[in-house]
């Protein structure tokens, strides 16, 4: 294994949490490197106060909050501006993740992340960098050509507004579609940093459930390649093999540009942070 490439991929990882995960973040804080980006989700069962409090806790613990803004969950421009304004008040508006969101029908004037970006409101509240979504294995409800067109349009709109861009992907089990997708992104002239989503250590049943929900491949061959078996659903799995294989493939061609990791923690902030610490220590 190429240990230097593995370290380069894992160092500077980012994490994901929900508004309910603040106690878990406090518990994990001593293990998480200061300055780590921590994304805060925008779920339908959480309210403004919970989201803002979580983003504020991230900052106060010495990390960089990246609050999600779910376009389709916003009922009005006023609701968007209230959220951005509250984030700015607690020093948590510099980095955001603009995403379409789950509702089948938009609850207000923003049907997708592109509309959110084109509103021109982000800079007004101090946003300097916007993460946008990438889908190496596609999206169960959106055609591939639409995903690519929106990625192009979002990257262009952010560049025209002078905003930094990071592409953050849905989690993956298989390095092959990830590498193909990275090549396609770069071939389109998009040179923004990419963070490949991967699950932190979690129960196998839970991983497969999330994979099916998001349309990510979870067939027998792919999960075997990731490092667990469908015949042992009671066990847990970590991303060791996926991360090692991905770093090896990235090291073969520097044209892939800046690529890092984003961990979906499923509430396991401490377990994920300990995994990253121990993985990096093993490469020393």
């Amino acid at each position: 294994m190429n240990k230097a490439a593995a370290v380069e991929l894992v160092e500077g990882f980012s994490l994901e949490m929900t508004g309910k995960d603040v106690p878990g973040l406090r518990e994990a804080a001593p293990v998480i490197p200061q300055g780590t980006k921590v994304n805060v989700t925008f779920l339908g069962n959480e309210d403004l106060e919970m989201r803002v409090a979580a983003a504020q806790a991230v900052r106060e613990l010495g990390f960089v909050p990246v609050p999600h803004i779910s376009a389709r969950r916003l009922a009005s421009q006023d609701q968007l501006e209230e959220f951005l304004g509250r984030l700015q008040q607690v020093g948590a508006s510099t980095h955001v993740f603009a995403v379409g969101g789950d509702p089948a029908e938009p609850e207000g004037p923003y049907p997708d992340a592109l509309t959110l970006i084109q509103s021109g409101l982000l800079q007004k509240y101090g946003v300097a960098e916007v993460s946008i979504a990438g889908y190496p294995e596609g999206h169960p409800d959106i055609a591939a050509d639409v995903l690519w067109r929106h990625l192009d349009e979002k990257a262009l709109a952010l560049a025209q507004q002078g905003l930094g861009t990071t592409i953050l992907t849905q989690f993956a089990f298989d390095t092959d579609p990830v590498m193909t997708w990275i090549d396609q992104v770069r071939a389109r002239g998009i040179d923004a940093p990419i963070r490949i989503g991967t699950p932190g250590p979690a129960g196998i049943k839970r991983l497969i459930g999330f994979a099916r929900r998001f349309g990510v491949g979870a067939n027998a061959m792919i999960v075997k390649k990731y490092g667990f078996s469908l015949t042992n659903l009671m066990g847990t799995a970590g991303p060791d093999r996926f991360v090692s294989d991905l770093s090896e493939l990235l090291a073969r061609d520097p044209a892939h540009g800046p690529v890092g990791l984003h961990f979906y923690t499923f509430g396991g902030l401490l377990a994920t942070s300990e995994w990253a610490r121990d993985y990096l220590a093993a490469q020393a």
Side-chain angles (χ1 to χ4, degrees), residues 18-264:
T18 72
K20 299 182 180 71
D21 288 335
V22 173
L25 181 69
R26 295 190 191 283
E27 179 188 25
V31 187
I32 304 171
Q34 289 286 286
T36 295
K37 286 184 174 178
V38 181
N39 285 45
V40 180
T41 57
F42 193 112
L43 301 178
N45 60 358
E46 297 174 352
D47 60 18
L48 174 70
E49 299 304 325
M50 190 178 291
R51 295 174 191 132
V52 173
Q56 183 174 6
V58 170
R59 187 187 61 78
E60 289 177 347
L61 287 165
F63 312 123
V64 177
V66 185
H68 291 200
I69 306 176
S70 179
R72 299 167 78 83
R73 290 193 188 282
L74 294 166
S76 64
Q77 178 178 323
D78 286 347
Q79 188 180 1
L80 170 60
E81 294 207 55
E82 182 185 15
F83 184 43
L84 289 169
R86 290 289 304 281
L87 290 173
Q88 189 176 37
Q89 286 172 6
V90 299
S93 67
T94 305
H95 305 267
V96 299
F97 176 45
V99 65
D102 293 335
E105 294 294 328
E107 296 173 17
Y110 306 107
D112 48 46
L114 180 62
T115 316
L116 198 64
I117 291 164
Q118 291 174 331
S119 72
L121 293 170
L122 300 180
Q123 303 97 312
K124 179 180 172 182
Y125 292 93
V127 174
E129 182 190 55
V130 179
S131 296
I132 55 178
Y135 299 92
E137 297 191 42
H139 188 290
D141 302 317
I142 305 174
D145 62 323
V146 175
L147 289 175
W148 283 117
R149 187 176 76 248
H150 272 236
L151 185 66
D152 289 338
E153 291 174 347
K154 285 183 284 190
L156 179 61
L158 290 169
Q160 288 174 337
Q161 294 178 47
L163 292 170
T165 306
T166 294
I167 303 172
L168 186 65
T169 81
Q170 187 50 264
F171 71 80
F173 287 135
D174 189 357
T175 53
D176 289 344
V178 168
M179 294 302 298
T180 299
W181 179 84
I182 291 172
D183 287 339
Q184 291 174 312
V185 171
R186 299 311 188 206
R188 301 174 89 86
I190 299 173
D191 58 4
I194 294 171
R195 288 186 178 271
I196 299 298
T198 187
I204 292 170
K205 266 188 176 176
R206 195 168 196 194
L207 291 177
I208 292 171
F210 272 91
R212 287 177 176 150
R213 177 182 164 195
F214 291 109
V216 175
N219 65 45
M221 285 303 294
I222 288 174
V223 297
K224 185 178 179 184
K225 186 173 179 181
Y226 183 80
F228 61 83
S229 168
L230 289 177
T231 60
N232 178 24
L233 297 181
M234 301 309 293
T236 60
D240 302 65
R241 185 184 299 183
F242 176 82
V243 170
S244 297
D245 289 350
L246 182 61
S247 64
E248 197 80 50
L249 292 167
L250 288 167
R252 295 177 188 172
D253 185 0
H256 293 306
V259 179
L261 288 181
H262 176 73
F263 288 110
Y264 292 92

